[in-house]
Amino acid sequence: MAPALLKGSTENKMSKEAVKLKLIAAAKARGIKGEALDSLLATVKAESDFVSGREESHRYKDFSRAKSIFKNLRGLSKEEFKQLQKDPKKFFNKVYSNRKDIGTGPEEGFKARGMGLIQLTGSTKKKYAPEGYENPAKFKNIDYDIKTTLDYYENEILNKATNIEDVTNIVNPNLPQKEKQKRFKKEVSKKQMKQDKDQESFLRPSPIKKQFKIDTKKDRRKQQILSKLLA
């Protein structure tokens, strides 16, 4: 949800691989598997690179890219932008305050900045990580970070996305279109996708809510396997 380069937690020293394995285990415990798990991992990889407790950075090397993401920056000169980046609180209050799309009020942008594995931002951060909204240090706890990530993913993405490409439109709607198009194609695990012949790799078992829909026009192979399994 936060598209900038990120900085890591100073307290959480778990390796990226350890964080990834812990996230996978927690996701599978909730019944998140197959394509849905792939999209989760791709999202977390793109948002935080599996560094728990990551905080959105206010440092953007490319002014044009920053303006394409944050509408509130479009009236600034390059020099004004450079000055704004010197103070993270001023930067985030500028880009995230008073935005109906993320549910923020005046001078609330700094609190609303992206945090954690999936970079919860604005109203979704308030909803799924209210303690972290008020106290960013909460995200340095790996269990809290994973729980809030999965709560958000399960409730806001799995019931809305119909395929992996849809996920980035939900998580990062303001990302430039070219970046949206290549993000998941680059990050999705090829190994996991090869497991699609397994029923659990694309069906989400009861009582967990539905996984991604099967599009028969785009993927006839999955439909054929599904038909045999349900026969």
Side-chain angles (χ1 to χ4, degrees):
M1 298 171 58
L5 200 61
L6 306 165
K7 58 184 179 182
S9 162
T10 57
E11 292 184 10
N12 194 332
K13 300 300 183 181
M14 286 185 71
S15 70
K16 293 179 183 181
E17 186 62 23
V19 171
K20 182 178 180 180
L21 291 175
K22 192 174 181 69
L23 176 63
I24 289 172
K28 286 185 174 180
R30 295 193 185 202
I32 300 173
K33 302 176 182 180
E35 191 176 21
L37 179 58
D38 264 344
S39 72
L40 170 65
L41 298 179
T43 303
V44 172
K45 170 67 177 175
E47 294 293 329
S48 66
D49 197 24
F50 297 103
V51 176
S52 180
R54 268 204 159 168
E55 177 181 339
E56 181 179 1
S57 175
H58 60 292
R59 296 291 184 182
Y60 279 79
K61 294 180 181 179
D62 188 338
F63 181 38
S64 296
R65 181 173 181 271
K67 287 193 296 182
S68 72
I69 295 170
F70 299 115
K71 294 180 180 179
N72 292 355
L73 295 177
R74 293 176 188 176
L76 298 182
S77 67
K78 194 168 185 178
E79 184 57 37
E80 288 173 328
F81 175 68
K82 287 181 180 180
Q83 291 300 316
L84 187 65
Q85 285 193 109
K86 292 180 179 180
D87 186 330
K89 188 170 184 178
K90 288 182 179 180
F91 178 86
F92 288 118
N93 279 337
K94 176 69 174 177
V95 299
Y96 285 140
S97 293
N98 289 313
R99 281 181 49 177
K100 292 182 180 179
D101 59 327
I102 60 171
T104 55
E107 301 301 309
E108 198 176 357
F110 187 64
K111 282 186 176 181
R113 71 194 187 282
M115 293 290 296
L117 288 170
I118 207 164
Q119 291 293 280
L120 292 173
T121 307
S123 58
T124 54
K125 186 178 175 184
K126 282 184 187 178
K127 182 176 180 180
Y128 295 103
E131 303 90 352
Y133 194 83
E134 298 298 330
N135 180 13
K138 287 285 186 180
F139 285 98
K140 295 178 182 179
N141 181 305
I142 182 63
D143 294 320
Y144 181 85
D145 200 352
I146 286 178
K147 180 185 182 300
T148 54
T149 292
L150 293 179
D151 286 349
Y152 163 75
Y153 184 79
E154 200 166 32
N155 289 284
E156 300 294 332
I157 294 180
L158 287 188
N159 290 332
K160 297 176 183 179
T162 58
N163 55 57
I164 290 177
E165 286 75 14
D166 283 349
V167 178
T168 195
N169 288 318
I170 298 172
V171 176
N172 238 323
N174 295 321
L175 203 66
Q177 189 59 35
K178 288 184 178 180
E179 291 186 45
K180 287 182 182 180
Q181 291 172 348
K182 69 181 182 181
R183 172 174 282 198
F184 285 109
K185 290 180 181 178
K186 178 180 179 182
E187 301 295 349
V188 170
S189 162
K190 293 181 180 179
K191 181 178 178 181
Q192 183 69 41
M193 294 301 285
K194 287 179 181 179
Q195 298 174 3
D196 281 350
K197 290 183 180 180
D198 185 342
Q199 178 187 12
E200 288 187 344
S201 71
F202 60 87
L203 289 180
R204 203 165 182 201
S206 180
I208 303 297
K209 294 179 181 179
K210 67 180 180 180
Q211 202 178 29
F212 295 115
K213 299 175 183 177
I214 291 177
D215 187 332
T216 56
K217 292 182 179 180
K218 293 182 179 179
D219 198 340
R220 296 181 182 280
R221 182 175 65 82
K222 280 186 179 179
Q223 184 59 34
Q224 290 170 355
I225 296 170
L226 178 62
S227 297
K228 290 179 181 179
L229 290 169
L230 298 180

